[in-house]
Amino acid sequence: MIRHYLGDFLLIIEGDFLRARISPDSINLIVTSPPYNLEKSYGVHDDALEYEEYLEFSEKWLKKALRLLKPDGRLCLNIPLDTNKMGLRPVYADLVGIAQDVGFKYAFSIVWNEGNISRRTAWGSWLSASAPYVISPVEMIGVFYKDSWKRLGPGESDITKAEFMDWTLGIWRFSGESAKKIGHPAPFPVELPLRCIKLFTYKGDLVLDPFLGSGSTLVACARTGRKGIGVEIDPQYVRIAKDRLLKELSENLLQG
């Protein structure tokens, strides 16, 4: 494992999350978008597992994630509602079930509408009742907690009234991120972890992303004054994340 420290409060661990050494009961919030198993090219990661293997992998990392959270820690899990690769699968329902099976408590779901309503993933039988498919062009953010949903200690929030009123509605509308622009096959926009961080953590809390990818979660940590740890197995994406973080930290210094 290689550790890359950026600034005083941000850390990228280069390696496999299942082998990464992170203190148990230390994390306030986990925000992550794990591999979707959609046969995307993720470098060293195999994104074309058999579905049962994918669910087994999900169980393993969710078990570890639970151990790392503080008793009042939360998990925000970004995943598709369903997929049609290698057969139609209710992936969100399956992962919610696995998360509860390993010990997470379910809080609620947020629907992320990227606004790309023209995107189509399956038609089935065209203009026929023979075998049509309905695929929802949205992604989900499942929100879970470890033992206590209510925070057990004091802290300082920095969310505005307008943000709180908007973000506590169950449908979030903002655009996705450009894979070409970021250099990652499936980057998620900084807006997603930023909303989760401001809504579910206090200033100075510790945030973890077990599948850091291009670094969006740590960029959001830098913008909100949270401490952050990101784990990424692919050296190429570690370099992209480091570059994004160094640029973000540099801009923060200039603005400060």
Side-chain angles (χ1 to χ4, degrees):
M1 296 286 172
I2 303 173
R3 292 180 171 241
H4 305 270
Y5 293 91
L6 298 102
D8 296 327
F9 304 111
L10 301 176
L11 168 64
I12 297 175
I13 301 175
E14 185 176 335
D16 185 346
F17 172 63
L18 295 177
R19 297 175 55 227
R21 296 180 64 181
I22 302 170
S23 299
D25 303 306
S26 65
I27 306 297
N28 297 105
L29 174 68
I30 296 174
V31 182
T32 196
S33 183
Y36 290 178
N37 209 45
L38 296 179
E39 301 176 318
K40 288 183 179 289
S41 176
Y42 278 111
V44 300
H45 173 75
D46 182 4
D47 195 48
L49 300 172
E50 293 295 328
Y51 193 65
E52 291 304 317
E53 291 181 278
Y54 176 69
L55 296 183
E56 290 172 7
F57 165 71
S58 300
E59 180 180 5
K60 289 177 182 177
W61 79 257
L62 283 165
K63 278 183 178 178
K64 179 166 184 175
L66 184 67
R67 292 196 301 271
L68 301 183
L69 282 175
K70 291 184 175 183
D72 58 355
R74 287 92 177 254
L75 164 67
C76 293
L77 176 61
N78 170 222
I79 205 78
L81 182 59
D82 45 34
T83 69
N84 70 327
K85 296 293 185 180
M86 295 175 283
L88 288 167
R89 306 289 187 177
V91 62
Y92 183 67
D94 287 341
L95 263 64
V96 168
I98 291 172
Q100 292 180 105
D101 288 343
V102 304
F104 278 101
K105 295 177 173 62
Y106 175 77
F108 43 80
S109 294
I110 299 165
V111 178
W112 171 28
N113 183 351
E114 300 177 60
N116 189 3
I117 60 174
S118 66
R119 182 176 61 193
R120 305 297 305 196
T121 54
W123 289 105
S125 57
W126 171 245
L127 295 180
S128 169
S130 173
Y133 290 128
V134 177
I135 301 295
S136 300
V138 299
E139 294 193 10
M140 305 298 295
I141 304 167
V143 183
F144 306 83
Y145 60 100
K146 187 170 182 177
D147 296 321
S148 170
W149 176 249
K150 184 176 176 62
R151 289 294 297 263
L152 299 176
E156 181 183 355
S157 292
D158 57 353
I159 192 168
T160 68
K161 178 181 178 181
E163 288 170 341
F164 189 86
M165 292 181 67
D166 185 27
W167 300 351
T168 51
L169 295 174
I171 300 178
W172 289 358
R173 295 180 176 88
F174 53 87
S175 298
E177 186 58 89
S178 165
K180 183 177 181 180
K181 174 185 174 183
I182 300 298
H184 185 278
F188 67 178
V190 174
E191 182 70 14
L192 192 154
L194 187 144
R195 289 189 182 201
C196 293
I197 288 168
K198 292 190 73 175
L199 190 57
F200 300 124
T201 70
Y202 293 136
K203 293 172 66 175
D205 275 356
L206 179 56
V207 178
L208 168 67
D209 189 340
F211 305 98
L212 183 63
S214 60
S216 297
T217 297
L218 291 193
V219 172
C221 287
R223 291 184 186 177
T224 57
R226 269 61 166 183
K227 294 174 283 187
I229 300 173
V231 185
E232 175 53 47
I233 196 171
D234 193 299
Q236 175 185 350
Y237 303 145
V238 169
R239 288 192 293 271
I240 292 172
K242 285 178 64 178
D243 288 345
R244 292 182 74 195
L245 262 294
L246 290 172
K247 180 180 179 182
E248 183 70 27
L249 292 172
S250 176
E251 291 176 353
N252 288 351
L253 283 174
L254 291 174
Q255 293 172 3

